[in-house]
Amino acid sequence: MRFPQLRVFTWVILVINAIFLVWVIGGIASRPNPDDPAANVGTAIGVGLVIGLWVAADVILGILWLVTKPRTRDCPACGRTIKRGQMTCKSCGYDFAQAARFLQGDKQSPPDLA
């Protein structure tokens, strides 16, 4: 079984989310006096602002991730990269259209993955 390769931008998004998580945990852990109600309110406001910024950044990064998707796909039979929209693999002859028809319930046999 071959696992899909993650794009570099996916790793960037994961790193940014980890930074935000550390920022929130650090903000909660660094409150000066847990028994002081004013300190608790200030911590809650600060953490709330960081979470709001986190959500806004994730929305923007998610849209950018969707817009910058690759224009190629991997052939499941040979693993070579082909252009999206191409219906057969030039190197092994795998038929993507036949595979799609089989997945939709057509009675034909599945495409050969050899």
Side-chain angles (χ1 to χ4, degrees), residues 11-27:
W11 289 107
V12 170
I13 292 172
L14 290 173
V15 168
I16 290 173
N17 278 300
I19 291 170
F20 272 110
L21 181 63
V22 168
W23 194 7
V24 168
I25 292 171

Side-chain angles (χ1 to χ4, degrees), residues 71-88:
R71 299 180 193 272
T72 59
R73 61 181 169 178
D74 292 336
C75 176
C78 66
R80 299 235 173 145
T81 302
I82 62 170
K83 292 181 181 177
R84 285 203 183 270
Q86 187 176 345
M87 298 311 290
T88 57

Side-chain angles (χ1 to χ4, degrees), residues 54-76:
W54 188 358
V55 169
D58 272 350
V59 167
I60 292 168
L61 290 171
I63 290 170
L64 287 174
W65 186 84
L66 288 173
V67 170
T68 60
K69 68 181 178 181
R71 299 180 193 272
T72 59
R73 61 181 169 178
D74 292 336
C75 176

